[in-house]
Amino acid sequence: MTLSSKRMLGDVLVQYGFLEERGRAAALAHSRTRGTPIGRACVELGLLSPLHLWQALALHTGAPTAHLDGRELSEDVLALLPARLAFLYRCVPLAVEAGPRGALVLAVDGPRSPAMLDEIAFATGRRVKLVVAPEDALWRALRRSYPADGDRGCGFNHVVDGYFELEE
């Protein structure tokens, strides 16, 4: 599942009443200027709360949602996904479905490419299923689950505003 949709997120935001047309135009302009996704542009401009963006992304993609704050994540499940890939693709492994080849359930903050899913499936030896989580909660879960100084050190110094800095 790539969490894709034929409709543009801006259209979904207007259709479901999250934004007015004027807000969408402002967000698109901000998105183009800053090179950020339209959802993040809406939050940066104060047009949407992170919670409303999360709800809109779930409607946009048709994916289930996941709450990450306060959720205990299994060390066994975390060990399936190398920290490098978790940070690179902004995803957190939540569970493995039952069965000998059960799918790995990953929390993400928006649509992902088929190439990303293929790389994670190859690295873990499992099919991948995605759920949507709020971006800020996803970053907190990544930092909590893959500490840079831990046994599974990821090669990143720290994350700032959704971006990570590589170690020298």
Side-chain angles (χ1 to χ4, degrees):
M1 169 167 56
T2 60
L3 289 189
S4 62
S5 174
K6 292 183 191 286
R7 298 181 302 164
M8 301 297 287
L9 179 59
D11 296 337
V12 172
L13 292 170
V14 171
Q15 177 186 351
Y16 287 100
F18 290 101
L19 281 182
E20 294 180 3
E21 186 60 44
R22 199 168 27 131
R24 175 174 53 179
L28 282 171
H30 185 79
S31 174
R32 288 184 186 119
T33 302
R34 301 274 312 261
T36 62
I38 187 170
R40 183 177 296 150
C42 288
V43 172
E44 288 175 359
L45 291 172
L47 299 170
L48 280 181
S49 70
L51 175 64
H52 286 134
L53 175 58
W54 176 43
Q55 292 169 337
L57 285 168
L59 286 170
H60 181 236
T61 62
T65 59
H67 293 274
L68 299 180
D69 287 332
R71 183 178 188 152
E72 290 296 321
L73 301 174
S74 161
E75 287 293 321
D76 292 339
V77 175
L78 290 170
L80 293 173
L81 184 65
R84 179 186 65 77
L85 292 179
F87 275 89
L88 178 65
Y89 292 122
R90 296 185 334 268
C91 59
V92 176
L94 300 181
V96 175
E97 291 184 336
R101 302 301 294 165
L104 178 63
V105 179
L106 295 177
V108 296
D109 60 356
R112 293 296 186 271
S113 72
M116 170 261 192
L117 297 177
D118 289 344
E119 184 172 357
I120 290 177
F122 181 77
T124 63
R126 296 184 177 273
R127 291 177 299 111
V128 176
K129 289 191 175 180
L130 302 178
V131 297
V132 178
E135 181 182 33
D136 55 341
L138 185 73
W139 282 114
R140 284 190 296 275
L142 274 168
R143 288 189 296 261
R144 186 175 68 244
S145 302
Y146 296 99
D149 58 350
D151 293 338
R152 292 184 313 272
C154 60
F156 304 117
N157 282 333
H158 60 282
V159 178
V160 179
D161 294 330
Y163 298 95
F164 51 85
E165 294 182 356
L166 293 172
E167 291 177 350
E168 299 275 336

